[in-house]
Amino acid sequence: MRAFRNFIGGRVTVKVGDITREDVDAVVNAANSSLMGGGGVDGAIHRAGGPSVLAECRAVRSRRYPDGLPAGEAVLTTAGRMRARHVIHTVGPVYANLGTDAVQLAACYRNCLRLAAAEGLKTIAFPAISTGIYGYPQDEAAVVSSRTIQEHLVEDSRIQQVRLVFFADDDANVFLRHQVLG
Ligand code: ADP
C-alpha cells in the first residue's frame, strides 16, 4: 500500500489500498442505514471482520436505532478479525445535488472523529464516504472531507493520525487536487 502524501505535520496521510487491512484503532465503514451490510466498502468490512461485526450492528439497531442509523450519525463496534480494533459505522448522504449533501457528509466525518476521540482512540482510517454507490462527486467530497477533518484536528489534539484510504490511484489524485488541508 502506497502512502501518497502527508498533511498537518503527518496527522493526515493520504494513501491507496484496501481499508480492511489498515492497522488502526478504528476503520470507518461507509454503511447504509440498515447497518446490515451492503456493497462496496461496507461489504468488504463485513467480510473481513466476520460475523461478530454484524451481530454487534444488530444489537446497536435494536438497542438504539430501531429505524436505522440516520445519515451523518456514527456508531462504534469492535472489528472482529480485522487488524483494526474497532469499526465506526457512519451513513453518508445519497448525493442529491442539494445543500444538505455537504452538511450530512461533514457530519459523518465530524461525528466519526468525535466518537473516536471520546473513546480514547488515536488512529482512524476513512474511506471516501458516499463517493461510490451513493454518487457523491469525488471533487466536491474532497473539499468537504478535508475541511471537516482539518477543523476537527485543529480544535482537538486527541486524534494523532487520520488515514484517508482510497481504493484507486485516480481516486487519491482527485482528492489531492481538490483537498483544502493547510
Ligand atoms: P457509499 O455507499 O457511501 O458511496 P461505497 O462503498 O460504494 O460507499 O464507496 C465509497 C468509496 O469506497 C468508493 O470510492 C469506493 O471505491 C471505495 N472502496 C470500496 N471498497 C473499498 C475498500 N476495500 N477499501 C477502501 N476503499 C474502498
Side-chain angles (χ1 to χ4, degrees):
M1 192 178 291
R2 290 198 287 132
F4 262 53
R5 280 204 30 206
N6 294 316
F7 298 91
I8 318 181
R11 287 176 80 198
V12 177
T13 299
V14 176
K15 61 197 295 188
V16 175
D18 177 356
I19 198 169
T20 66
R21 305 177 67 85
E22 286 293 314
D23 182 9
V24 280
D25 293 333
V27 293
V28 172
N29 182 17
N32 59 58
S33 69
S34 79
L35 297 182
M36 293 297 110
V41 77
D42 195 5
I45 281 175
H46 279 282
R47 273 193 304 279
S52 65
V53 180
L54 188 60
E56 287 182 57
C57 285
R58 275 190 216 289
V60 169
R61 276 292 306 276
S62 61
R63 255 198 336 263
R64 293 173 57 197
Y65 291 103
D67 298 327
L69 186 66
E73 300 289 321
V75 296
L76 186 83
T77 68
T78 59
R81 298 191 293 247
M82 281 183 285
R83 293 167 77 193
R85 290 167 50 211
H86 298 90
V87 180
I88 296 179
H89 306 262
T90 190
V91 180
V94 177
Y95 188 72
N97 202 10
L98 297 171
T100 48
D101 297 326
V103 174
Q104 289 180 337
L105 188 62
C108 286
Y109 284 91
R110 192 166 50 243
N111 285 326
C112 287
L113 290 164
R114 283 183 181 162
L115 181 55
E119 295 287 337
L121 310 183
K122 306 277 185 221
T123 56
I124 182 169
F126 282 97
I129 299 166
S130 281
T131 65
I133 298 160
Y134 282 4
Y136 211 117
Q138 290 181 353
D139 54 348
E140 291 181 34
V143 176
V144 175
S145 61
S146 60
R147 186 174 56 218
T148 308
I149 290 165
Q150 165 114 6
E151 283 168 2
H152 180 92
L153 293 183
V154 166
E155 282 169 19
D156 187 337
S157 61
R158 289 178 293 177
I159 301 285
Q160 289 171 356
Q161 205 192 32
V162 176
R163 297 183 197 165
L164 303 178
V165 183
F166 294 89
F167 215 28
D169 285 13
D170 285 353
D171 300 341
N173 284 323
V174 173
F175 176 85
L176 289 170
R177 275 201 302 279
H178 295 278
Q179 57 79 24
V180 295
L181 294 163

